[in-house]
Amino acid sequence: MVSVEEIGESVNTRYDMDRNKKNLALIINNVKFDKSTKMSGREGSDKDASAITETLESLHFKVMDRKNLSVESMKEIFLEISMMDHRNHNCFVCVILSHGEDNNEIFGIDGKVKLDELMEPLFPEKCPGLIGKPKLFFIQACRGKKRDSGEIMHDGGDVRVEYQNVTSHKVPLWADVLLAYSTVPGFYSYTRNTIGSWFIQSLAHILRKHGDRLELQQLMILVNRKVAYEYESINGDDRLNKKKQVPCIASMLTKELYFYK
C-alpha cells in the first residue's frame, strides 16, 4: 500500500493556479419564467448574482454573466465555452441560479434540462483545453419538495478512507469536477427575497473571508456549516417554520485547489 505522503512526494498535489493567468466563471441567473413552466419568479436571485460576481472577481476570475436563459441558450453557452481557448485559464467555475427538481433537473426560463446534459460539452473528449483543470459547479436550486425539520445533534464517529496509487494514461470523464448543490436530493432550497439564498450568500461570504487562504475542501466545509447552523426558516405556517438545510457536495477533484487574490 502506498501512503498519501509517498504519493505527495512523487506528483504535484496542487492544481496549477498561475497568477499570470485568469480564472473563468459563468453565472446563469434565471429569474423570470414562462407561464408554461408554472414556475414563480425568483426574487432575491439578483442579490446572489451580484454577491458571487463581486467575490469571484476578487479571486482573479473573469466573469461571464447571463440572465434569463432558455434551455437552448443554456446549452449554447456551454458549447461556446467548450470551444474557447483555455490555455490562459487556470480553472472554470459555473454558478447556476434557478429553479430545479429532483433527478438533477435545472430550469431554463422555458423548460428544464438535466445538469449533466448541460455539462457534457466540457467533458475531456469535447473540451481538451480543460483537461486536468478544475471545473467547479455551484447550483442554487431546489432538488425536490421535502422540508428538513432538523434533529438534535448526537456524538458520531469518523470514517477513514485508504488511498491507493493507481497509474493511468486516460482521464475519466468526471475527473477534476466538483458539484456543489445548495441542498441534498429531494429537498427544498431556501431563499430570502431581501438578501438572497442561504447557500450562495454563505458561499460568497466564506470565499471573501477565506478564499485566498484555505483549500477548497476546507472552504466548502465552512459553507456547509454556515448554512446548516446559522439559518432556519421563519414562516407563519407551522408546516414550513423552523426548517433547516445543508448543501450537498460531490467532489471528483484529484488535487488540492487554492485560489488567490
Side-chain angles (χ1 to χ4, degrees):
M1 183 68 68
V2 179
S3 69
V4 177
E5 288 77 14
E6 290 174 311
I7 294 174
E9 291 175 358
S10 61
V11 299
N12 182 4
T13 60
R14 290 190 181 188
Y15 287 109
D16 181 15
M17 298 294 281
D18 188 340
R19 291 179 180 271
N20 295 317
K21 296 181 180 180
K22 278 282 189 179
N23 307 314
L24 179 65
L26 168 66
I27 297 175
I28 297 177
N29 179 25
N30 290 337
V31 178
K32 297 181 179 180
F33 299 83
D34 293 348
K35 291 182 179 180
S36 60
T37 65
K38 299 181 179 179
M39 292 288 112
S40 60
R42 299 183 58 258
E43 295 183 31
S45 189
D46 286 343
K47 295 186 180 297
D48 281 347
S50 177
I52 198 63
T53 296
E54 180 180 345
T55 299
L56 290 173
E57 288 178 342
S58 75
L59 293 172
H60 207 57
F61 276 85
K62 174 185 177 182
V63 178
M64 302 170 60
D65 190 3
R66 300 292 185 271
K67 188 172 182 179
N68 292 331
L69 298 186
S70 65
V71 168
E72 190 60 32
S73 294
M74 292 169 71
K75 291 180 179 179
E76 288 176 357
I77 191 64
F78 277 96
L79 183 60
E80 177 184 328
I81 288 171
S82 73
M83 294 186 293
M84 287 182 177
D85 183 350
H86 292 289
R87 285 177 293 182
N88 288 317
H89 295 147
N90 291 314
C91 71
F92 172 70
V93 163
C94 176
V95 181
I96 298 180
L97 313 172
S98 190
H99 285 300
E101 292 185 349
D102 52 7
N103 299 320
N104 288 333
E105 292 178 316
I106 304 295
F107 273 86
I109 61 171
D110 60 346
K112 55 189 177 182
V113 60
K114 285 188 176 294
L115 177 61
D116 55 357
E117 188 176 342
L118 291 178
M119 295 170 58
E120 187 177 355
L122 302 183
F123 287 161
E125 59 184 2
K126 296 184 178 180
C127 186
L130 287 177
I131 290 178
K133 297 181 179 182
K135 295 164 281 289
L136 316 178
F137 295 83
F138 300 95
I139 314 300
Q140 169 54 45
C142 291
R143 303 180 74 187
K145 298 181 180 179
K146 291 191 286 185
R147 310 274 178 154
D148 188 343
S149 298
E151 186 54 85
I152 297 175
M153 184 169 59
H154 302 283
D155 291 337
D158 66 355
V159 178
R160 302 187 184 277
V161 180
E162 294 184 346
Y163 295 82
Q164 183 176 3
N165 187 20
V166 179
T167 301
S168 175
H169 297 290
K170 293 184 178 180
V171 178
L173 293 179
W174 288 84
D176 306 303
V177 172
L178 179 135
L179 302 174
Y181 299 93
S182 59
T183 190
V184 295
F187 279 80
Y188 189 82
S189 183
Y190 290 89
T191 297
R192 291 179 182 172
N193 293 347
T194 55
I195 64 171
S197 66
W198 298 0
F199 175 59
I200 296 297
Q201 292 298 321
S202 296
L203 176 65
H205 174 81
I206 295 299
L207 288 177
R208 282 196 303 270
K209 188 174 182 180
H210 305 292
D212 62 341
R213 184 171 62 87
L214 298 180
E215 200 275 329
L216 180 61
Q217 308 288 354
Q218 295 174 301
L219 293 169
M220 296 315 299
I221 288 174
L222 293 178
V223 172
N224 279 6
R225 182 181 302 160
K226 186 173 179 64
V227 175
Y229 295 150
E230 296 185 17
Y231 288 91
E232 186 173 272
S233 67
I234 301 173
N235 196 294
D237 186 338
D238 288 341
R239 297 171 300 175
L240 306 177
N241 194 37
K242 294 185 177 181
K243 301 303 180 184
K244 303 293 289 183
Q245 176 182 325
V246 66
C248 179
I249 301 167
S251 176
M252 285 70 73
L253 298 179
T254 59
K255 297 181 181 181
E256 296 175 339
L257 176 55
Y258 287 87
F259 298 114
Y260 57 85
K261 290 186 177 179

